[in-house]
């Protein structure tokens, strides 16, 4: 059996088109949705990410302003800048690119963002809202994974067993909560879970979000399962690859997301969804 591909590029293009429509509707009411992005320091990976976020925003008609500060910026100055953006009604979403320089307390910085502008979904208020089923912003990566499941008709997961490998605060944990909210039975594991294979073989849906190559191999996958690969790694040849042994797992799974071209573009697209949502909420 060869799995069907869940094409993240194609689905992300569809999501961006939906966002564009919503942007136009707000602009027709004289509201220009705006995302403020803060980048501190010169981390090369972060520079690529923020450049993409600005380009994605502008492509959909969202205004994006990128503020760059030196790596030795004082935390108090950053907090003051966030407070000013919180108070600025022309700014609907605020994103502080992570990782921050080591002298800064990431938690304190994230908590300084007004929850109604927390388009990353990293604030405690956003995490709490997800936990108790209240409206709030969902972290973009698991939110994009849920959208991928919906795209193949998997919105109600009643009777389905989902296995999440990885327990990060921005992917594994919120992913598990979103799957639960969609009525799945959920098992959450980490890379050191004893007999991980016994767990993953139970999964009608398996989400791999560890950040290590070949965490999920073909022998660990139930035939026909849906496999979502959140990993972003490099193989021996320096080529981008996920956590899933794609070449072999695709012969067992029913559906699979590729890397690149899977969860990555969806994560980017869901930031735009959160940003337009933030602007719509304050403009109702
Ligand atoms: N660094 C890597 N990914 C992300 C993300 O999704 N949001 C922020 N703020 N920083 C990141």
């Amino acid at each position: 059996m060869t799995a069907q591909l869940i094409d993240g590029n194609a689905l992300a293009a569809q999501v961006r088109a939906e966002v564009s429509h919503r942007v136009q509707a707000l602009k027709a009411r004289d509201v220009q949705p705006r995302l403020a992005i803060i980048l501190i320091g010169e981390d090369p990976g972060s520079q690529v990410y923020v450049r993409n976020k600005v380009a994605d925003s502008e492509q959909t008609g969202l205004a994006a302003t990128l503020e760059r500060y030196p790596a030795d910026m004082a935390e108090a100055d950053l907090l003051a800048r966030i407070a000013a953006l919180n108070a600025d009604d022309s700014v609907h979403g605020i994103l502080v690119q992570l990782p921050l320089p080591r002298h800064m307390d990431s938690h304190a910085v994230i908590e300084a963002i007004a929850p109604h502008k927390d388009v990353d979904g990293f604030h405690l208020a956003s995490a709490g809202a997800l936990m108790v089923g209240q409206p709030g912003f969902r972290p973009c990566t698991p939110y994009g994974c849920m959208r991928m499941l919906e795209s193949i008709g998997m919105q109600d997961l009643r009777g389905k067993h989902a296995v999440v490998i990885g327990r990060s605060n921005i992917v594994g944990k919120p992913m598990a909560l979103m799957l639960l909210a969609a009525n799945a039975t959920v098992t959450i594991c980490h890379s050191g879970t004893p007999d991980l294979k016994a767990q993953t073989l139970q999964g009608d849906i398996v989400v791999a979000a560890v950040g290590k190559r070949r965490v999920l191999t073909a022998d660990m996958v139930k035939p026909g399962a849906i496999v979502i690969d959140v990993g972003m790694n490099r193989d021996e040849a320096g080529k981008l690859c996920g956590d899933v042994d794609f070449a072999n797992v695709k012969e067992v799974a029913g559906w699979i997301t590729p890397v690149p071209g899977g969860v990555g573009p969806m994560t980017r697209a869901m930031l735009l969804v959160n940003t337009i949502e933030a602007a719509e909420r304050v403009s109702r």
Side-chain angles (χ1 to χ4, degrees):
M1 175 174 173
T2 300
Q4 297 190 67
L5 216 57
I6 308 179
D7 183 342
N9 284 322
L11 187 58
Q14 202 179 309
V15 170
R16 285 195 300 271
E18 289 164 19
V19 170
S20 288
H21 275 109
R22 291 166 70 179
V23 170
Q24 293 314 320
L26 272 191
K27 282 186 175 170
R29 295 168 46 203
D30 283 330
V31 179
Q32 168 61 68
R34 184 178 304 277
L35 172 64
I37 301 172
I38 296 179
L39 173 63
I40 298 158
E42 306 286 331
D43 180 79
S46 292
Q47 297 195 42
V48 174
Y49 282 131
V50 298
R51 215 180 305 133
N52 288 337
K53 286 169 185 175
V54 171
D56 289 349
S57 300
E58 288 174 348
Q59 196 212 329
T60 50
L62 293 161
T65 50
L66 173 59
E67 300 184 15
R68 306 184 56 144
Y69 298 103
D72 63 355
M73 182 187 203
E75 184 177 308
D77 292 340
L78 175 58
L79 295 177
R81 185 59 199 138
I82 292 171
L85 290 168
N86 285 340
D88 181 345
D89 289 341
S90 76
V91 171
H92 303 96
I94 302 170
L95 183 147
V96 178
Q97 186 65 26
L98 303 176
L100 289 172
R102 291 164 66 113
H103 68 279
M104 288 192 183
D105 175 353
S106 301
H107 284 290
V109 170
I110 290 166
E111 297 322 309
I113 297 171
H116 67 283
K117 299 189 180 188
D118 173 39
V119 289
D120 255 334
F122 294 170
H123 195 286
L124 284 176
S126 303
L130 173 60
M131 181 81 183
V132 299
Q134 290 289 311
F137 294 108
R138 305 297 187 234
C140 300
T141 298
Y143 195 12
C145 294
M146 293 306 290
R147 186 69 197 253
M148 291 177 116
L149 289 172
E150 280 171 27
S151 78
I152 57 166
M154 290 278 154
Q155 33 278 85
D156 189 347
L157 304 178
R158 202 173 302 265
K160 303 286 181 207
H161 191 152
V163 179
V164 179
I165 320 169
R167 52 174 166 167
S168 74
N169 293 329
I170 60 173
V171 183
K173 289 177 196 168
M175 183 83 239
L177 289 171
M178 288 183 214
L179 289 161
L180 267 177
N183 301 315
T185 299
V186 179
T187 301
I188 180 157
C189 305
H190 51 86
S191 56
T193 294
D195 201 0
L196 184 58
K197 174 177 168 177
Q199 303 295 333
T200 58
L201 279 171
Q202 303 291 316
D204 303 299
I205 299 164
V206 182
V207 180
V210 174
K212 216 168 79 186
R213 280 156 52 197
R214 299 203 188 94
V215 162
L216 192 73
T217 48
D219 58 311
M220 298 168 75
V221 175
K222 177 159 89 172
I226 302 165
V227 174
I228 310 268
D229 191 349
V230 181
M232 279 266 249
N233 313 298
R234 299 269 166 195
D235 68 13
E236 303 88 344
K239 235 179 78 191
L240 203 61
C241 68
D243 289 357
V244 174
D245 179 10
F246 182 85
N248 295 308
V249 170
K250 76 171 167 39
E251 301 302 325
V252 180
W255 292 91
I256 191 166
T257 69
V259 177
V263 173
M266 286 304 293
T267 296
R268 286 168 59 177
M270 299 321 278
L271 173 65
L272 309 174
V273 171
N274 278 346
T275 303
I276 188 62
E277 182 72 33
E280 287 171 351
R281 283 184 195 173
V282 295
S283 310
R284 274 188 188 123

